[in-house]
Each structure stands twice: as C-alpha cells, then as structure tokens.
Amino acid sequence: MDLFKFNSKIAFWGIILVVVGLVLAFATLFSLDFDISALINHGGSWYAPIKWK
Amino acid sequence: MNKQIFLKTLKKQLQKFGVKNSDDYLEYYSEYLDDLIENGSTEEEAVQKVGGVKKVLVEIISDNDVEIPQTSDRLKSALLIGSLPVWGPLLLAAYLVPILLLLAVLLIAVSFLLAGGWTLVGSFVVMTKVGLLYAGFQLGISLLFLGGALLIEQLFAFLTQKLFSFNKYLFRKFNVGGIRNGLV
C-alpha cells in the first residue's frame, strides 16, 4: 500500500475512525457529568472539572 | 489525427516557438499530405507517414531555412536581467509557498498521529487507574486524532500528486529540449 498516493481505502478508514471516535467521545462525555460550561468559562485559570471518586 | 487537426496543431506549436516563416512549412506539409492522400493513403495514414506533429516540429526547428528571431529587443532582455534581483526572489517565494504548505500539511498529519498514538496508549492507563467511562472518552479522542491523521495524510498525498503534475507541466512549458524527448 503506497502511502504517498491517494488511496480511497485509507481515506474511507480515516472517516470511519473519525466517526467512531466522535460517537464514542460524545457518548462517554455526556455520561461523565462534566461541567462543560465551567470547562469553557474557566476565566483564565485552569480548572479540571473531574469528579474524582 | 486527420490532416486539418495536424496542420492546426503544427501551426500552434510553430507560433509557440516564434517561427516567422511558418506559412511556408504549413503549405509544404499540406501539399505533402495531399500527395500522400492522392496516392491512396487515408488522412490518418498520411499523417502517420509524415511522422506526427512532434517529429515534424523537430524537423522544422532544426531546418536550415527556419526563421526564428533571436531576442531582438535588447533593451527588453537587459531590463529583464537587470531586474532579476526584484522578480527572482519573488518568483522563488511563489514557487516555495505551495511546497512549504505541503510540508505543513505533512507535519499536521504527523502531529495528529503522535497525539492519537499517545492518547490511545494513555486510555489503557486511564482504564485501570480511573475508570471505564473516562477511558472510553479518551479512546474516542484518540480515534478522532488517528482518523484525522489518516485523512490529512491522504490530503498530503493528493496535493503532492497535484504539485508533481504541475511541476511536470512547468518543465514541459519552459524546457525547449523537452520536445526532443517527446514531452510536448
């Protein structure tokens, strides 16, 4: 498989990986109860809103 | 290729090389083809017997009677060479921009690959140390990175091919010797 030539199979698997990654990331993100607004609006200070057990 | 297309292509090529007495040659080859056709060849066969556009073009350009004006306008060429320090670097920069953009695309792909690989390994650590959901989130992010790396690498491959064919075109256009190698 020549990586330096356009290969639609590689592009196809790239898209599959991106889609699977997106689904997995979003599905777990919403079940993790992250405080997303606090993540975005941390006002310059680093804040990791992870609720440790 | 029939006679008309042959003559039309030949005319274009002769104009490109600035042959002044191109009409003489076109007339000669037109008559030559007519003779061959009268003797029983089809138009295509006649063009083939003559040798095709490339061969005829080389023959004309290396002919003793061909009139190709040398750079007549000395002032123009002097100006062109004199202003080389101005347009030379600009031309070089214009040529380098797409190459460096391509390099940037390759670097993005490599960094995505590294980030994806690192987070993929990290997700297994997270799985044992933190929890399955967190590990799933990190695995998702790592798959995103890896997929992105593959896609950007393909973009790189595609753009490299395009740049290569563009360079081939430039080489054909500006290398007169190219016609002898059958590149025109």
Side-chain angles (χ1 to χ4, degrees):
Chain A
M1 197 179 281
D2 192 352
L3 275 177
F4 291 99
K5 279 191 177 146
F6 182 74
N7 187 333
S8 52
K9 268 187 190 167
I10 298 180
F12 171 75
W13 283 109
I15 292 169
I16 292 288
L17 276 183
V18 167
V19 171
V20 171
L22 267 178
V23 170
L24 194 62
F26 273 108
T28 45
L29 178 69
F30 289 123
S31 46
L32 271 172
D33 295 331
F34 277 146
D35 190 351
I36 291 171
S37 70
L39 237 185
I40 295 167
N41 308 311
H42 55 76
S45 63
W46 173 244
Y47 168 54
I50 300 173
K51 294 176 182 128
W52 298 95
K53 285 174 189 170
Chain B
M1 187 187 276
N2 67 22
K3 183 187 152 198
Q4 235 180 350
I5 297 177
F6 169 79
L7 289 175
K8 214 172 155 185
T9 321
L10 187 62
K11 194 178 174 186
K12 253 190 206 166
Q13 292 292 336
L14 288 175
Q15 277 171 349
K16 196 170 145 190
F17 285 93
V19 176
K20 259 189 164 178
N21 52 346
S22 62
D23 285 343
D24 297 346
Y25 289 102
L26 289 170
E27 210 170 296
Y28 169 75
Y29 277 100
S30 175
E31 278 171 21
Y32 188 5
L33 287 174
D34 284 340
D35 284 347
L36 287 174
I37 291 163
E38 269 173 33
N39 289 336
S41 304
T42 63
E43 288 197 2
E44 279 77 10
E45 281 170 353
V47 170
Q48 240 171 17
K49 273 183 195 163
V50 169
V53 177
K54 283 176 215 159
K55 200 177 160 212
V56 168
L57 184 63
V58 173
E59 272 170 16
I60 291 175
I61 286 174
S62 45
D63 190 32
N64 282 331
D65 298 326
V66 73
E67 288 172 22
I68 301 176
Q70 300 297 317
T71 318
S72 53
D73 199 345
R74 278 170 179 272
L75 182 71
K76 208 167 151 189
S77 55
L79 271 176
L80 205 64
I81 293 169
S83 59
L84 181 77
V86 178
W87 60 262
L90 282 176
L91 199 69
L92 187 68
Y95 185 73
L96 281 179
V97 163
I99 295 175
L100 294 175
L101 277 177
L102 214 60
L103 192 69
V105 171
L106 181 66
L107 284 177
I108 294 171
V110 169
S111 53
F112 266 50
L113 187 70
L114 288 177
W118 187 247
T119 42
L120 184 70
V121 173
S123 66
F124 289 103
V125 177
V126 171
M127 192 162 69
T128 54
K129 297 264 179 190
V130 187
L132 214 57
L133 271 182
Y134 291 94
F137 180 55
Q138 185 156 336
L139 187 67
I141 297 288
S142 78
L143 290 184
L144 258 180
F145 272 131
L146 290 175
L150 279 185
L151 286 180
I152 294 169
E153 195 274 331
Q154 285 304 294
L155 179 72
F156 169 76
F158 177 74
L159 291 178
T160 315
Q161 278 172 330
K162 287 278 164 240
L163 189 71
F164 179 70
S165 42
F166 176 63
N167 274 301
K168 227 157 110 183
Y169 163 76
L170 283 183
F171 180 76
R172 278 179 191 169
K173 199 166 171 64
F174 293 108
N175 181 17
V176 179
I179 53 165
R180 281 190 194 90
N181 304 326
L183 283 169
V184 168

